[in-house]
Amino acid sequence: VAPKSVGQVRGALKLFGHFASAQELHKSMQNNGAKIGLTTVYRSLQTLADEKVVDVLRRLDGDALYRLCGESHHHHLVCKRCGRTVEIEGGAIEKWARAVESEYGFRDVDHTVELLGTCSRC
Amino acid sequence: VAPKSVGQVRGALKLFGHFASAQELHKSMQNNGAKIGLTTVYRSLQTLADEKVVDVLRRLDGDALYRLCGESHHHHLVCKRCGRTVEIEGGAIEKWARAVESEYGFRDVDHTVELLGTCSRC
DNA sequence: ATTGTTGCAAACCATTTGCATACGT
DNA sequence: ACGTATGCAAATGGTTTGCAACAAT
């Protein structure tokens, strides 16, 4: 029985379209007239992250960034300098992960992959 | 006129061999008998980062991780239940990372890969 | 009435900074 | 003595949590 605020936050993220920190998102929602507390924004983002509806990653300064993720599992290529982020199709990775999984007799293997570099503009 | 503590910290990082948070590194140094304050570890890591001799990235929980640049690295397959850890050769990953790098015009791309699953014994 | 939701204020915790002490030259 | 390096303790700031007021059924 998801609280309505979770839907509100998801909507705001959709509107935002790219990675936003909780505080940026909160400010943006208030600017659009929403009456919602910062705490609730945090809690909603937490819920969405648990439900794997949003991706979470960390900016270099330590702030958490959130963005709606599509249905397909993907990874990110992030610029160290400007924070520009590109979603990557990781077909090769998925195959590799499954190969490693069976090679070592593991089950239910999940993986985290992050690429960090410097983009062409920086 | 680099303080000696910077060298100490660099040495500890080398010993560590992979990404470590400031606090983990500090604890590890103290366990090895070093008399150094947490503040100094932070300051030394800051200096090393400014000099570009260490890479900095962020763990999902927000802690900063530091590693000497140019160290060859491997990846880990970790069991969620018993903590058993296997070191993985990531040749396929390295190739994939380089392909992504050139495809999107990024430079100096580093990557983090962690595999989490359940091992055969559990 | 009971259960779930909200938001304020306080707690948390990694990191940074102020400042007084200790060190090197 | 001078300038630098160090570490304690306090400040910072994003995030989390306790709790009491509040809405929904």
Side-chain angles (χ1 to χ4, degrees):
Chain A
V1 199
K4 66 181 184 223
S5 67
V6 171
Q8 250 184 85
V9 168
R10 191 172 57 221
L13 260 181
K14 184 152 212 164
L15 203 79
F16 217 86
H18 51 283
F19 275 107
S21 75
Q23 314 234 6
E24 287 161 355
L25 195 61
H26 177 236
K27 211 174 296 178
S28 153
M29 291 177 76
Q30 293 204 317
N31 289 346
N32 287 34
K35 294 197 215 79
I36 190 171
L38 179 56
T39 306
T40 303
V41 172
Y42 273 111
R43 277 196 279 239
S44 301
L45 288 170
Q46 185 69 43
T47 302
L48 290 168
D50 291 346
E51 289 170 353
K52 305 231 159 81
V53 157
V54 301
D55 271 339
V56 186
L57 64 82
R58 290 274 170 177
R59 212 186 277 162
L60 247 31
D61 67 3
D63 298 8
L65 297 181
Y66 304 85
R67 182 173 61 180
L68 289 177
C69 55
E71 295 151 22
S72 75
H73 178 89
H74 55 258
H75 305 291
H76 295 115
L77 172 58
V78 183
C79 177
K80 288 179 192 178
R81 296 200 45 182
C82 67
R84 191 153 75 97
T85 299
V86 184
E87 273 186 17
I88 303 294
E89 274 307 315
I93 294 295
E94 320 295 330
K95 260 182 230 159
W96 175 79
R98 276 196 297 278
V100 170
E101 177 175 341
S102 67
E103 182 177 351
Y104 294 93
F106 274 60
R107 276 165 295 119
D108 307 323
V109 171
D110 192 14
H111 57 275
T112 322
V113 176
E114 289 296 329
L115 299 174
L116 267 173
T118 310
C119 79
S120 48
R121 294 192 207 133
C122 296
Chain B
V1 199
K4 65 176 181 222
S5 67
V6 171
Q8 252 184 82
V9 168
R10 190 172 58 221
L13 260 181
K14 183 150 213 164
L15 203 79
F16 217 85
H18 50 282
F19 277 108
S21 74
Q23 313 235 7
E24 287 161 357
L25 195 61
H26 177 236
K27 210 174 297 180
S28 153
M29 291 176 77
Q30 292 204 318
N31 289 345
N32 286 34
K35 293 197 215 73
I36 189 172
L38 181 55
T39 306
T40 305
V41 172
Y42 273 109
R43 277 196 279 238
S44 301
L45 287 170
Q46 184 70 42
T47 302
L48 290 168
D50 291 347
E51 289 170 353
K52 304 231 160 82
V53 29
V54 302
D55 272 340
V56 187
L57 63 80
R58 289 273 171 181
R59 211 189 276 159
L60 246 33
D61 68 2
D63 298 7
L65 297 180
Y66 304 85
R67 184 181 62 188
L68 288 177
C69 292
E71 293 261 311
S72 82
H73 60 280
H74 48 257
H75 305 293
H76 293 117
L77 172 58
V78 183
C79 176
K80 289 178 192 175
R81 295 200 47 181
C82 67
R84 191 155 75 97
T85 298
V86 183
E87 275 185 16
I88 302 294
E89 272 308 314
I93 294 294
E94 321 292 331
K95 258 182 231 159
W96 174 78
R98 276 196 297 279
V100 169
E101 176 174 342
S102 69
E103 181 176 351
Y104 293 94
F106 275 59
R107 276 164 296 116
D108 308 321
V109 171
D110 191 16
H111 56 274
T112 322
V113 176
E114 290 297 329
L115 299 173
L116 265 174
T118 311
C119 79
S120 50
R121 293 190 210 136
C122 294

